[in-house]
Amino acid sequence: MQAMQSGGQLGASHAIGHILGPLFNVAHGETTCVALPGVLLWNSDEGPGQKKRQQLVVDAFVEAGAARPGEAAASCVKRLVQEMELPDSMAAVDVKRSALEECAKRTMRDPLVHTNPRKINDWRDILSILEKCGPFAPEAPQGKL
């Protein structure tokens, strides 16, 4: 909340985390591990301004010897998450593809959605982000709970 009050731009990753956490019993820090690479991928289509921002992320990884020039920011972050043995996908936190629409619709109610660098127009944009956070947990077979 304080970041919002002080003008911080936490964006879609944080907004998604506010929903993934309570809805699927995922620790807040782990929600970022799952969502941030997908958000970075989605945001990367925004244009030169976003590409410049993401290049700063890659440059930091390159300087630390953890990436090669030209890698995508999303790939750098995902690899770091994997190296730390943290959950790196919706499957890792037991979220099924069938839950994405509800998660996307709920996320749209979070005020941090509107601080994302790339404008999020409606829940379908969030759904597009969530689909980049796969693979997903298997669905229960028909007729079984």
Side-chain angles (χ1 to χ4, degrees):
M1 273 321 260
Q2 185 173 354
M4 278 179 42
Q5 293 167 349
S6 65
Q9 294 194 344
L10 300 171
S13 178
H14 213 75
I16 290 167
H18 286 161
I19 305 307
L20 279 182
L23 200 57
F24 299 101
N25 197 31
V26 180
H28 188 68
E30 291 180 348
T31 65
T32 299
C33 296
V34 170
L36 185 57
V39 171
L40 287 167
L41 275 174
W42 191 81
N43 283 345
S44 69
D45 291 337
E46 179 57 18
Q50 184 58 24
K51 291 197 186 309
K52 225 176 182 178
R53 273 179 140 161
Q54 291 201 14
Q55 187 58 50
L56 293 172
V57 173
V58 175
D59 290 347
F61 276 89
V62 168
E63 189 174 315
R68 293 185 184 143
E71 281 191 69
S75 297
C76 294
V77 171
K78 184 150 187 139
R79 188 174 49 254
L80 175 63
V81 168
Q82 291 168 339
E83 287 172 2
M84 295 176 68
E85 298 181 359
L86 293 165
D88 68 339
S89 69
M90 293 293 197
V93 293
D94 201 31
V95 176
K96 298 168 180 61
R97 184 179 289 277
S98 60
L100 298 186
E101 185 174 321
E102 178 65 22
C103 186
K105 288 178 178 177
R106 288 184 185 208
T107 299
M108 278 307 295
R109 296 184 205 128
D110 191 292
L112 292 178
V113 162
H114 305 293
T115 68
N116 197 63
R118 178 177 174 190
K119 187 176 192 295
I120 295 173
N121 295 302
D122 63 24
W123 68 270
R124 288 172 199 85
D125 287 342
I126 297 293
L127 182 61
S128 179
I129 293 169
L130 293 172
E131 288 172 343
K132 295 179 184 310
C133 300
F136 304 94
E139 301 289 339
Q142 291 275 338
K144 296 192 178 191
L145 296 176

